[in-house]
Amino acid sequence: MPKLINTRTRIADLGKPRIIIIGGGFGGLEVASGLSGSRTQTVLFDKYNHHCFQPLLYQVATSGLESSSIVFPFRKRFNSDDFFFRLGEVTQIKPEENYIETSVGGVHYDYLVIANGATTNFYGMKDVQKHALPMKSIIDSIKLRNIIIRNFETALLSDDPEFANSLMDFVIVGGGPTGVELAGALAELKLHVFPHDYKELEISNMDIHLIEATPRLLNGMSDQASRKALEYLEKMSVKVHLNSAVKSYDGYEIVLNGGDKLISRTMIWAAGVTGQPVAGINASTLGRGGRVKVDEFNRVQGYDNIFAIGDAAVMEGDPGFPSGHPQMAPPAMQQGRLVAKNIIRLIGKKPLQPFRYKDKGSMATIGRNRAVVDMKGFRTQGTFAWFIWMFVHLISLIGFKNKFFVFFSWFWSYFSYDKSNRLIIARPTDGVH
């Protein structure tokens, strides 16, 4: 096959203001949606051709959902003549030229929106980065599902009890919503699924460890929610380690800060994220966690026509969140909607509107009939909270088909106690420990 030489992006000049969006996450999609019909040209760059609903990645990893039910193609989401998608990665921004370089060529912009999210933060621990499993993409979740199922298939064939136990034990690092929800989902596999699938194994030997460096789970939520989440997990036999941090991991032995050691061949890292700054932006604009500093309009400091939103940005001017907004979907979506409006206002030479985050609350689920919800003036736990969690996530999915399949999967799982997507989609040697 001839080698493809990427020299241009094949984006026509329509004679309209061109807005380039880097990243098709929650914030990037809101920018594109807000610009639809505005007589502008919108160009979206992403290294994947789909939007991924990250809050449900853990359900794909634990066989609860099919991967196709939480992803949606960009080209299907936006189908106007003024919208262009290019599969590629932005490698450099040249602000003085209003130009970006990408893996598929270069292109000029009138306005630029950095919405490339964040990546897993291993805090400089190279051994952990090499051996632990992140949970940021649909590829990560499928890989984890492959490993979980293959571990049990391999343990079943082993006559070495220590080796088999190391395959059946799982360590999750990070007590935020992702870690808590993943621990609960693994516990449900242990309680309801694996005893039927692997009758020859002693499933009681399966240990699930959740490690959190601070004194409590779900930092950012209420003390009541934190205590209830801990209670739920402990009732499901999850071993929670508070005030504990990972010091090293060689793929087999995990050493904690207090000197304790755990043995597991599968460690899932959900302990934090860091920004992914694009080359070309002035280094002085980078704040904590590799996030780009922005003003109250989400403009990158020092630039008039470059914006940054969501996990990629840190705004220190919001009175309600002086240290920056939480790195979750709601702030990114609200910022994306306002940035789209402000770009249209800039084009029309109108004053910009400042961003103020409307915090509608937080929630997490810990399995069937177990969830915690903190909303403004309202807190609840248990079954009612679980239904709220399901409803909010269901309506947030893109596409009727995805909503239908997720609802059907949840309905079936609730009454059957089954997680049907227990598939290894990989080559026979992939994920072998």
Side-chain angles (χ1 to χ4, degrees), residues 26-35 113 294-299 307-310 315 318 325 330-346 350-358:
F26 289 104
L29 285 194
E30 291 297 333
V31 177
S33 296
L35 293 171
V113 182
V294 297
D295 64 15
E296 60 182 341
F297 309 112
N298 279 100
R299 288 185 302 192
F307 297 80
I309 61 175
M315 180 189 296
D318 192 327
H325 302 103
M333 295 171 71
Q334 291 180 32
Q335 289 176 349
R337 286 192 285 269
L338 184 62
V339 162
K341 292 177 181 178
N342 274 338
I343 289 175
I344 294 171
R345 295 179 73 84
L346 273 176
K350 297 179 180 179
L352 302 185
Q353 297 176 347
F355 177 75
R356 292 294 179 264
Y357 176 45
K358 297 179 178 64

Side-chain angles (χ1 to χ4, degrees), residues 273-295:
V273 294
T274 184
Q276 306 178 88
V278 182
I281 293 292
N282 193 317
S284 65
T285 67
L286 294 183
R288 58 186 181 83
R291 302 167 75 183
V292 180
K293 295 179 184 178
V294 297
D295 64 15

Side-chain angles (χ1 to χ4, degrees), residues 2 7 12 49 90 125 129-130 145 151-152 166 185 248 251 274 298 306 311 322 328 386 397 432-433:
T7 57
N49 76 332
V90 176
M125 293 184 286
Q129 184 173 354
K130 179 179 179 181
R145 185 187 68 199
N151 278 6
F152 279 83
S166 71
S248 66
T274 184
N298 279 100
I306 302 178
D311 290 356
M328 302 188 302
W386 186 62
L397 284 163
V432 174
H433 287 54

Side-chain angles (χ1 to χ4, degrees), residues 52-61 70 135-138 141:
C52 176
F53 191 76
Q54 289 184 329
L56 293 181
L57 281 174
Y58 81 95
Q59 292 205 9
V60 173
I70 67 166
M135 275 281 288
K136 291 297 293 180
S137 71
I138 195 69
S141 62

Side-chain angles (χ1 to χ4, degrees), residues 359-375:
D359 187 2
K360 298 179 180 179
S362 303
M363 58 187 69
T365 182
I366 309 98
R368 172 192 305 266
N369 296 331
R370 297 181 178 98
V372 292
V373 171
D374 285 353
M375 301 177 73

